């Protein structure tokens, strides 16, 4: 697994990336490294048992890898553990969405952030299309406003909406799993981007996963 460490949370490498102005599916380790992703090294949880304490997983970024480390902390009750983990997962989901998307426009691949304000602006472009405009102004990250054709804007809207919906659905399923899980250690080891067991996937998430598999 390759990932980036952001604010203490792992952000898994996507299965599709933009590399040297090309869209690459299932990128190699060399390409992921060039894009700033590092291999994740998992380590075994210590076997030492201390009454009133438990091991929690953390991540440390080194020059060539991201390493899992274990910290001995005071026990929480199960509900506290769930609350803390849900907050961590929700923050990671929000940041993943805000980081945005790459979209192949007629002018080339461009990146668009998806903060709440960006989402309002992008989704609001549908009304401009429906009004009959054929040249619609907008801007990609770090670039001035330009006129896009209707097809480009429709692609941007659809890609952004699909990305937001997928991550929201994934986050929801992960939080439902946390609510049902009774093993505190299992909860502490969860992270945003991990594969969710099928029995904890909602029907909507299963459908998204099937669609993504067909696109690869």
């Amino acid at each position: 697994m390759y990932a980036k460490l952001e604010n203490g949370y792992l952000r898994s490498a996507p299965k599709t990336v933009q590399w040297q102005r090309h869209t690459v599916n299932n990128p190699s380790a060399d390409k992921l490294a060039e894009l700033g992703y590092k291999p994740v090294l998992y380590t075994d949880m210590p076997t030492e048992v201390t009454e009133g304490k438990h091991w929690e997983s953390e991540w440390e970024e080194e020059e060539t890898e991201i390493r899992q480390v274990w910290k001995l902390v005071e026990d929480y009750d199960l509900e506290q553990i769930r609350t803390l983990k849900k907050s961590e997962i929700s923050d990671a989901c929000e940041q993943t969405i805000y980081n945005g998307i790459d979209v192949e426009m007629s002018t080339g691949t461009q990146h668009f952030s998806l903060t709440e304000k960006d989402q309002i602006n992008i989704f609001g472009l549908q009304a401009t299309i429906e009004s009959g405009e054929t040249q619609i102004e907008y801007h990609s990250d770090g670039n001035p406003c330009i006129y896009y054709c209707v097809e480009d804007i429709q692609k941007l809207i659809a890609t952004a909406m699909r990305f937001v919906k997928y991550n929201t659905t994934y986050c929801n399923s992960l939080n439902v799993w946390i609510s049902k899980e009774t093993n505190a250690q299992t909860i502490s080891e969860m992270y945003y981007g991990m594969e969710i067991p099928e029995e904890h996937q909602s029907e909507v998430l299963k459908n998204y996963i099937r669609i993504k598999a067909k696109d690869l």
Side-chain angles (χ1 to χ4, degrees):
M1 173 183 169
Y2 277 70
K4 290 182 180 179
L5 190 61
E6 297 180 348
N7 299 319
Y9 304 133
L10 283 182
R11 181 162 71 88
S12 302
K15 295 186 181 298
T16 301
V17 300
Q18 295 299 320
W19 181 77
Q20 296 186 353
R21 299 180 181 275
H22 297 286
T23 300
V24 179
N25 292 322
N26 298 315
S28 66
D30 289 344
K31 290 183 175 64
L32 290 175
E34 187 174 327
L35 293 170
Y37 294 95
K38 296 182 179 181
V40 178
L41 179 63
Y42 292 91
T43 60
D44 292 333
M45 184 181 71
T47 57
E48 173 192 348
V49 177
T50 303
E51 185 176 355
K53 295 186 178 182
H54 67 277
W55 294 101
E56 285 190 359
S57 175
E58 295 182 349
W59 304 98
E60 287 185 354
E61 185 167 7
E62 301 180 356
E63 185 174 349
T64 59
E65 65 188 14
I66 298 172
R67 178 185 294 271
Q68 184 182 32
V69 295
W70 295 91
K71 181 180 179 181
L72 193 61
V73 299
E74 298 291 336
D75 280 344
Y76 301 108
D77 64 44
L78 188 58
E79 210 50 51
Q80 286 177 309
I81 295 172
R82 286 183 176 134
T83 298
L84 290 170
K85 181 57 66 173
K86 286 181 179 180
S87 177
E88 173 191 319
I89 294 300
S90 295
D91 288 346
C93 176
E94 181 180 85
Q95 190 58 55
T96 298
I97 292 174
Y98 285 3
N99 286 341
I101 51 174
D102 289 324
V103 183
E104 186 66 39
M105 311 289 267
S106 60
T107 52
T109 301
Q110 297 176 20
H111 187 81
F112 298 87
S113 295
L114 290 175
T115 65
E116 291 182 1
K117 183 177 180 180
D118 293 322
Q119 292 177 48
I120 291 171
N121 290 337
I122 290 173
F123 299 149
L125 294 174
Q126 185 62 42
T128 305
I129 294 174
E130 293 171 356
S131 72
E133 294 286 343
T134 57
Q135 294 293 310
I136 303 166
E137 67 267 20
Y138 199 65
H139 63 90
S140 57
D141 284 12
N143 296 310
C145 278
I146 63 172
Y147 287 107
Y148 290 101
C149 64
V150 171
E151 290 76 15
D152 275 348
I153 294 299
Q154 287 176 328
K155 181 183 290 187
L156 171 60
I157 294 171
T159 304
M161 188 171 294
R162 184 166 58 248
F163 185 75
V164 172
K165 286 184 175 180
Y166 168 77
N167 279 281
T168 302
T169 301
Y170 171 87
C171 184
N172 173 260
S173 285
L174 194 50
N175 278 327
V176 170
W177 178 16
I178 293 169
S179 295
K180 294 179 178 178
E181 181 59 56
T182 58
N183 187 304
Q185 194 61 54
T186 298
I187 295 173
S188 71
E189 293 172 0
M190 292 180 184
Y191 60 91
Y192 194 84
M194 69 182 296
E195 183 175 340
I196 300 177
E198 187 172 355
E199 63 267 26
H200 296 297
Q201 297 172 9
S202 68
E203 289 302 313
V204 177
L205 180 59
K206 288 177 182 178
N207 189 50
Y208 274 122
I209 292 173
R210 283 193 292 266
I211 292 172
K212 290 181 70 175
K214 289 179 181 178
D215 291 340
L216 295 179

